Amino acid sequence: MGIRDHLDDPLAVRRLFFFRLLWAGAVVLLVFGGLTWRLVHLQVVQHDHFDTLSEDNRIRLRPIPPRRGLIYDRNGALLAENLPSYRLDLIPEEIDDLPATLAALGRLIALDEQDIARFEKARRQHRQFDPVPLRYQLTPEELARFAVEQAHLPGVEIAATLTRWYPYGPAAAHVIGYVGAIDTDDLKRLDKRDYAGTRHIGKAGVERWYEDLLHGAPGHEQQEVNVQGRALRTLAETPQTPGQDLYLSLDIDLQLAAAQALGERRGAVVAIEPGTGEVLALVSNPAYDNNLFIDGIDSKTYRALNADPGRPLFNRALFGQYPPGSTVKPFLGLADVDIGRPLGNSGVYCNGGFKLPSATRIYRDWKRTGHGRTDLTKAIEQSCDVYFYQLSLSLGVDRIHDYLTRFGFGHKTGIDLPGERAGLVPSKAWKRATRNESWYIGETLITSIGQGFNLATPLQLADATATLAARGVAAAPRVARAAISPLDGQYTALAPALEPPVTLREPRGWDIVHGAMHDVLFAPRGTARASAAGAAYQYAGKTGTAQVFGLGQDEEYDAETIAENLRDHALFIAFAPLESPTIALAVVVEHGGSGSGTAAPIARQVLDAYLDRPALGPEQPMQVSAR
Amino acid sequence: MNGRDVWVERQQAGTVMPMLHLDAQLLLGLLLLCGIGCAILYSASGASDTLLTRQLIRLGIAFVVMLAIAQVPSDVLRRWSLPLYLLGVVLLALVLVLGDVGKGAQRWLDLGVVRFQPSEIMKLATPMMVARYIHEHRMPPTLRDVAVVAVIVLLPAALIIQQPDLGTALLVATAGAFALFMAGLSWRVILALLAAIAACVPLLWMNMHEYQRQRVLTFLNPEADPLGAGYHIIQSQIAIGSGGLFGQGWLQGSQAHLRFLPERSTDFIFAVFAEEFGLLGLLVLLALYLFVIFRGLRIALLAQNVYERLLAAALSLTFFVYVSVNAGMVSGLLPVVGVPLPLISYGGTSMVTLMAGFGMLMSIQTHKKMLL
């Protein structure tokens, strides 16, 4: 009956339903309007924001390490290069049976437990689809053996990288230094973005000092990645900017000659071009093979190097501080002339010893019988100590300090290599400040013959000699001459660091001292005349024999060398040719005996090597490079 | 009135459609949506043929079901309403006792040949039952009728909640509620019911499962756990937002193809579409959905009796709820509930249910009694 009731009024029902439909339609439109508003908000208003998030999701920047700059000597000989090196990578995801693959590889290439352990450790830090290094520096034979079997070893890859190589090894190690793996200390001081992807950084020598020039700037590869981080394709690439190639002032032939001249002796040779400060050779012996450090030196070899009594890692040229001995005499000779020759033209009478008026102690000359009547020239030529004892009383320690300091003693030379030592030139103020003691006049005497508190590095000796040779023109020693961009050949001269010249009130002093130093080698009684025999050029020099007694000594020698430890250091400084010198050098041979007997012949060999090669003038090759 | 003339012309012009008891405009809208769905599913599945093939088979089955139901006159549908409803309730009870467990919930019933979710039956059977009850009693309903309808609606909803499947329960209840609303439920009762629901929210919260609460919390603040619970909604919004005005192009959406977007073939396929076709594509898609919904409402308007009107309107509005809940969830307007995008998401049972509903709409439209 209900049905009939409603059918009686179908119009009312239909009206009601129609209005409900209108309501429903309105709600549908309202909701779709709201949805549209939301979509406009997401896709138009916030589009840029979400687009960025989407790009962040899918794009990863993979750094491309820059090619490290090469290092050449002044004649264009390659001192540090990048050699292709082959690394074996495993991609765990693509390997079904890892132990079997490792066993198969073990039959093709040399794998030791250390390799496997390193691989297992690295594998945990990589994603399944990332290559994990197993072996570095594959030999050509291993490469060939692997190439034959590669098809049967899915998931094993060869990756080509560049590894530093120093063709001259130990001969230039103390100058070039080496690169090594970046450690936590390095991470603190460098910009991580610049070193993204770079494994090595300069640790010592030129490699460290010129790190910024040599390193270059990394490039970037934009990779599209999926949600697991797997790279799918490369979208764009910013190429790496290779580091600058570095041209050193070093002459590798001279360097080799100097190393050969030193032979097995412990010591250092530093040769500098007067006037420019360009370092032509810098040898410290014994040396080490810097190639050992590149891919991480193994601890056994490193311990052996550290325990070696010859201390091959110790750069004597820069860090070794020795009493300069009689090599200071030419510099004090200049002071003598400059203050008006207080001892007069006739000089002093040397009877083999010197006694202060107020004391009983006798300060001996190296020649017990004495030199007789001695003027400045003879005092340098024959290295008369008594003359300088007497002179030192007129100069006083503070003026000695003043003149030696002007030639670079007692402070760092400013060479472009890390770690040089300052040496020591004593003064009254210094003694008061460091020891709180007053100065004794006897200490002035031994200071004047380069003993006592005096300490100098071989580099300082060579630097001072170069200034002396150039008649006061001073420049901080420089190892690098120029940087050249491998991209566009852009040449950047690394200008010599000229310093204020040493000026004398009496310029005659240069002639007098140069002449006296020439006499050392060519006068009949010159101390080093034997070493100059047959020289094709004229040169000047001064011997030094430094007594080894406790004070300020290189105290780090250990007991087993005590006996040798007591022998004197042999020193020699020289420059050549006498007129317009092109090379100044210092030779120090530890416990080598006498300067004239040991050091002077070494200097002669080095000078011969440099000057008997007229074809290779010092400027010639650089002009080629610079055009 | 003009629209009606056009309709009459169409009916006269075509001879195939009336013969098959199909509504040409509704069919066109459905085919376009399914076509778009297949295209975007192909893209979302990473250009996979297998997924697309399976979906095409499902669509084929669903269209056959639609065609079959369209042949059934609405009188017969009305008579089937009660048995179908009772069958559904029994099956729901059975699911709770011996259903298969899938994804932590008991929803599936294995009948040997096919596995299906009885709750899908209730999406149709509940509005059918409500429409039949109102049809056989009175419109607008009295309070007593409302009480009976409430039982009809809440019984299956309560059983489905037990599975637990809150989303489907809400959809089933909504379908029944729409029929009641269209029947002319008085506004006073509607307001009272809304107030009661609001009062029940804390109670509902207390009875929610932990994962359901988590979804609501995540909806309110997705950034709190960007890699965990908030991941879906954040990645989905990135996909939609990066689509921009014109989209990144078919098969070019990086969020979908690099697999940053989860559930991209199923519940989140809307975001794939948004990323690849942009706002303009979405407006076309929404317009198509609107067209289908309003076509359904128009069929309801032109229907010949209460049962037909209520059923047609309820089914159309349920379809509307599907679309808006899925789009609202994917675009971050609603919490994440497992509602697929109708006709487009990859999925089986719900597709057949949907097309069965559209078959009923077509039946209502094409089995007219000439009242002169």
Side-chain angles (χ1 to χ4, degrees):
Chain A
M1 77 166 215
I3 301 168
R4 193 152 300 280
D5 288 346
H6 288 281
L7 282 178
D8 282 346
D9 193 8
L11 192 64
V13 170
R14 285 175 64 172
R15 266 180 64 89
L16 174 61
F17 185 75
F18 177 69
F19 281 110
R20 285 295 159 105
L21 265 187
L22 284 186
W23 272 104
V27 169
V28 169
L29 288 177
L30 197 70
V31 167
F32 270 62
L35 266 180
T36 307
W37 168 82
R38 173 66 176 174
L39 295 171
V40 168
H41 183 71
L42 289 177
Q43 299 197 292
V44 179
V45 181
Q46 289 192 293
H47 170 66
D48 290 345
H49 168 66
F50 285 118
D51 208 34
T52 311
L53 291 179
S54 171
E55 294 290 286
D56 286 353
N57 264 349
R58 82 184 178 102
I59 291 175
R60 181 176 64 192
L61 286 180
R62 197 184 69 84
I64 305 169
R67 194 202 66 135
R68 194 171 177 86
L70 306 179
I71 302 176
Y72 297 95
D73 90 334
R74 68 189 297 126
N75 300 319
L78 202 49
L79 304 182
E81 61 181 310
N82 303 313
L83 289 184
S85 129
Y86 297 95
R87 192 182 70 207
L88 194 74
D89 287 344
L90 301 192
I91 304 167
E93 183 191 60
E94 295 174 14
I95 297 173
D96 296 330
D97 187 350
L98 189 58
T101 301
L102 286 176
L105 284 172
R107 288 189 289 274
L108 299 173
I109 62 171
L111 283 179
D112 57 28
E113 280 170 18
Q114 208 180 334
D115 293 324
I116 306 278
R118 188 175 51 190
F119 168 75
E120 288 295 341
K121 190 178 164 206
R123 191 158 74 92
R124 286 191 288 274
Q125 294 159 353
H126 285 72
R127 286 168 298 199
Q128 278 292 299
F129 48 79
D130 279 340
V132 183
L134 177 65
R135 249 291 306 278
Y136 295 93
Q137 308 255 10
L138 295 178
T139 65
E141 293 77 26
E142 287 173 329
L143 272 178
R145 277 200 298 272
F146 174 75
V148 173
E149 294 295 320
Q150 186 161 24
H152 309 297
L153 293 164
V156 185
E157 288 183 347
I158 297 290
T161 57
L162 289 176
T163 302
R164 205 66 159 165
W165 172 249
Y166 305 112
Y168 290 94
H174 284 298
V175 181
I176 307 294
Y178 52 87
V179 295
I182 295 173
D183 60 31
T184 42
D185 285 343
D186 299 321
L187 283 175
K188 274 180 217 150
R189 63 186 166 87
L190 52 78
D191 186 336
K192 287 195 183 63
R193 276 168 307 180
D194 287 346
Y195 282 81
T198 303
R199 281 207 306 138
H200 289 119
I201 191 169
K203 295 282 190 184
V206 168
E207 291 275 30
R208 176 170 187 153
W209 189 272
Y210 288 105
E211 174 63 27
D212 291 348
L213 280 178
L214 289 167
H215 178 252
H220 287 283
E221 201 177 38
Q222 275 189 18
Q223 289 182 327
E224 187 174 67
V225 295
N226 70 5
V227 67
Q228 284 110 17
R230 181 197 299 272
L232 302 176
R233 60 187 169 135
T234 299
L235 300 172
E237 195 179 309
T238 317
Q240 48 101 6
T241 310
Q244 306 257 304
D245 291 342
L246 210 56
Y247 284 78
L248 303 188
S249 56
L250 208 69
D251 181 330
I252 191 64
D253 293 330
L254 187 66
Q255 177 86 4
L256 291 168
Q260 200 189 357
L262 265 175
E264 297 294 307
R265 300 184 191 91
R266 294 175 194 171
V269 176
V270 180
I272 293 178
E273 186 177 76
T276 62
E278 289 184 2
V279 174
L280 302 169
L282 191 146
V283 176
S284 174
N285 204 47
Y288 61 97
D289 185 356
N290 42 1
N291 290 304
L292 290 175
F293 286 82
I294 296 168
D295 271 320
I297 189 166
D298 64 276
S299 51
K300 198 176 134 197
T301 314
Y302 188 67
R303 272 200 303 275
L305 279 174
N306 259 330
D308 188 328
R311 304 184 68 222
L313 298 178
F314 183 71
N315 188 347
R316 289 168 168 78
L318 269 68
F319 315 151
Q321 302 186 97
Y322 306 90
S326 298
T327 58
V328 300
K329 285 174 181 169
F331 304 98
L332 296 182
L334 289 171
D336 183 12
V337 179
D338 211 33
I339 63 168
R341 307 194 66 168
L343 307 181
N345 282 332
S346 53
V348 299
Y349 187 84
C350 170
N351 59 7
F354 183 83
K355 203 160 75 77
L356 283 169
S358 55
T360 53
R361 177 172 171 185
I362 292 173
Y363 293 88
R364 299 213 171 272
D365 195 284
W366 68 270
K367 192 174 178 185
R368 296 296 154 96
T369 54
H371 295 93
R373 175 65 46 191
T374 305
D375 66 357
L376 174 59
T377 298
K378 185 178 172 186
I380 291 174
E381 175 200 320
Q382 299 183 20
S383 204
C384 171
D385 292 337
V386 171
Y387 182 90
F388 286 95
Y389 292 148
Q390 188 68 56
L391 174 65
S392 71
L393 295 181
S394 303
L395 280 166
V397 68
D398 285 342
R399 270 204 286 195
I400 292 173
H401 171 268
D402 178 43
Y403 276 97
L404 289 180
T405 301
R406 285 164 73 183
F407 282 92
F409 291 105
H411 56 88
K412 293 182 178 176
T413 63
I415 192 176
D416 48 352
L417 287 176
E420 67 163 321
R421 303 288 292 269
L424 179 61
V425 178
S427 67
K428 286 177 183 166
W430 166 81
K431 199 179 177 199
R432 176 62 65 195
T434 55
R435 311 202 165 194
N436 198 25
E437 283 173 14
S438 53
W439 186 262
Y440 300 111
I441 194 80
E443 292 168 342
T444 305
L445 299 186
I446 56 173
T447 298
S448 73
I449 60 162
Q451 298 284 163
F453 298 115
N454 266 327
L455 288 175
T457 65
L459 175 67
Q460 282 176 323
L461 282 170
D463 182 35
T465 307
T467 306
L468 175 66
R471 295 169 184 259
V473 179
R478 272 282 172 274
V479 166
R481 300 175 89 191
I484 294 178
S485 163
L487 280 185
D488 52 8
Q490 176 75 40
Y491 174 89
T492 314
L494 301 170
L498 288 174
E499 291 171 337
V502 179
T503 52
L504 297 178
R505 281 187 295 269
E506 289 285 354
R508 283 186 307 126
W510 300 115
D511 296 328
I512 293 168
V513 170
H514 282 195
M517 289 174 75
H518 180 251
D519 287 350
V520 168
L521 293 150
F522 294 99
R525 301 182 75 96
T527 49
R529 64 191 176 280
S531 66
Y537 46 89
Q538 298 295 306
Y539 68 107
K542 180 71 194 81
T543 53
T545 302
Q547 285 175 356
V548 177
F549 52 91
L551 202 64
Q553 274 300 308
D554 191 350
E555 59 284 286
E556 291 162 73
Y557 285 96
D558 50 35
E560 70 173 53
T561 56
I562 280 262
E564 194 192 342
N565 200 5
L566 294 173
R567 283 160 62 184
D568 295 342
H569 294 319
L571 295 90
F572 194 73
I573 60 172
F575 60 87
L578 180 64
E579 309 294 335
S580 62
T582 56
I583 179 171
L585 61 78
V587 177
V588 175
V589 179
E590 284 181 6
H591 314 297
S594 74
S596 55
T598 310
I602 292 172
R604 168 72 191 281
Q605 285 184 52
V606 176
L607 292 177
D608 279 354
Y610 194 65
L611 295 171
D612 287 351
R613 286 182 314 160
L616 282 180
E619 286 303 321
Q620 204 176 15
M622 278 317 287
Q623 285 163 349
V624 173
S625 322
R627 258 164 286 135
Chain B
M1 290 298 111
N2 198 24
R4 188 168 200 170
D5 297 342
V6 170
W7 175 74
V8 171
E9 277 168 17
R10 288 258 171 94
Q11 285 292 308
Q12 287 164 345
T15 52
V16 182
M17 289 293 157
M19 246 170 63
L20 291 174
H21 291 283
L22 291 176
D23 178 60
Q25 295 188 35
L26 189 55
L27 185 64
L28 180 69
L30 296 177
L31 287 174
L32 282 174
L33 280 172
C34 290
I36 291 176
C38 287
I40 201 66
L41 178 67
Y42 182 70
S43 177
S45 61
S48 145
D49 290 335
T50 46
L51 225 58
L52 183 62
T53 311
R54 276 193 230 156
Q55 181 80 343
L56 283 171
I57 291 170
R58 274 190 197 124
L59 277 173
I61 294 170
F63 270 90
V64 168
V65 168
M66 179 192 80
L67 186 65
I69 290 182
Q71 313 310 314
V72 181
S74 70
D75 291 351
V76 179
L77 286 177
R78 192 172 73 228
R79 265 180 269 130
W80 285 0
S81 298
L82 183 60
L84 190 67
Y85 177 81
L86 291 176
L87 175 71
V89 170
V90 170
L91 288 178
L92 277 179
L94 275 179
V95 161
L96 287 181
V97 181
L98 42 85
D100 279 359
V101 177
K103 284 189 181 175
Q106 284 181 305
R107 295 175 186 176
W108 298 88
L109 199 61
D110 198 339
L111 293 185
V113 202
V114 281
R115 270 158 45 96
F116 78 108
Q117 297 186 20
S119 56
E120 289 293 326
I121 295 180
M122 298 317 286
K123 285 181 183 170
L124 296 172
T126 307
M128 284 167 82
M129 189 59 213
V130 173
R132 173 179 158 151
Y133 180 84
I134 303 283
H135 179 88
E136 288 180 353
H137 292 81
R138 60 200 73 78
M139 181 178 159
T142 63
L143 267 180
R144 190 173 149 271
D145 297 331
V146 173
V148 173
V149 169
V151 172
I152 294 173
V153 170
L154 292 179
L155 175 64
L159 287 171
I160 295 168
I161 283 181
Q162 295 301 313
Q163 290 182 350
D165 186 355
L166 187 63
T168 307
L170 282 174
L171 283 172
V172 167
T174 309
F178 277 138
L180 193 56
F181 170 79
M182 298 306 292
L185 182 63
S186 83
W187 289 108
R188 241 176 288 166
V189 178
I190 292 172
L191 288 177
L193 279 175
L194 288 178
I197 290 170
C200 282
V201 165
L203 205 71
L204 190 69
W205 179 258
M206 301 289 285
N207 285 307
M208 269 183 174
H209 284 259
E210 191 51 45
Y211 83 94
Q212 292 167 333
R213 280 187 214 170
Q214 193 57 51
R215 280 185 186 176
V216 176
L217 290 175
T218 301
F219 161 67
L220 295 174
N221 183 17
E223 309 295 333
D225 187 9
L227 292 178
Y231 182 79
H232 285 53
I233 194 62
I234 289 172
Q235 295 302 331
S236 154
Q237 290 190 29
I238 290 175
I240 297 174
S242 64
L245 211 50
F246 302 102
Q248 299 182 1
W250 188 50
L251 300 177
Q252 303 295 316
S254 65
Q255 283 287 104
H257 287 275
L258 305 178
R259 290 180 261 156
F260 289 100
L261 187 67
E263 309 274 349
R264 52 203 172 275
S265 300
T266 53
D267 288 359
F268 282 84
I269 200 166
F270 184 81
V272 179
F273 185 87
E275 185 182 29
E276 300 196 345
F277 295 101
L279 183 62
L280 293 182
L282 281 178
L283 290 178
V284 170
L285 184 71
L286 290 181
L288 270 175
Y289 275 120
L290 265 187
F291 175 76
V292 168
I293 294 162
F294 274 92
R295 184 69 196 163
L297 291 178
R298 185 182 164 78
I299 288 170
L301 181 69
L302 299 176
Q304 288 184 315
N305 62 41
V306 169
Y307 177 78
E308 289 181 350
R309 282 188 200 109
L310 296 187
L311 182 59
L315 291 175
S316 305
L317 291 176
T318 309
F319 182 71
F320 154 71
V321 168
Y322 267 94
V323 177
S324 47
V325 166
N326 180 270
M329 151 187 112
V330 173
S331 59
L333 287 174
L334 292 174
V336 175
V337 284
V339 175
L341 186 64
L343 304 179
I344 291 185
S345 283
Y346 178 78
T349 319
S350 66
M351 179 77 78
V352 175
T353 318
L354 267 172
M355 295 309 283
F358 283 114
M360 292 178 190
L361 280 173
M362 297 207 173
S363 159
I364 290 165
Q365 175 68 4
T366 55
H367 290 88
K368 300 282 189 194
K369 289 186 187 105
M370 304 307 281
L371 296 171
L372 288 172

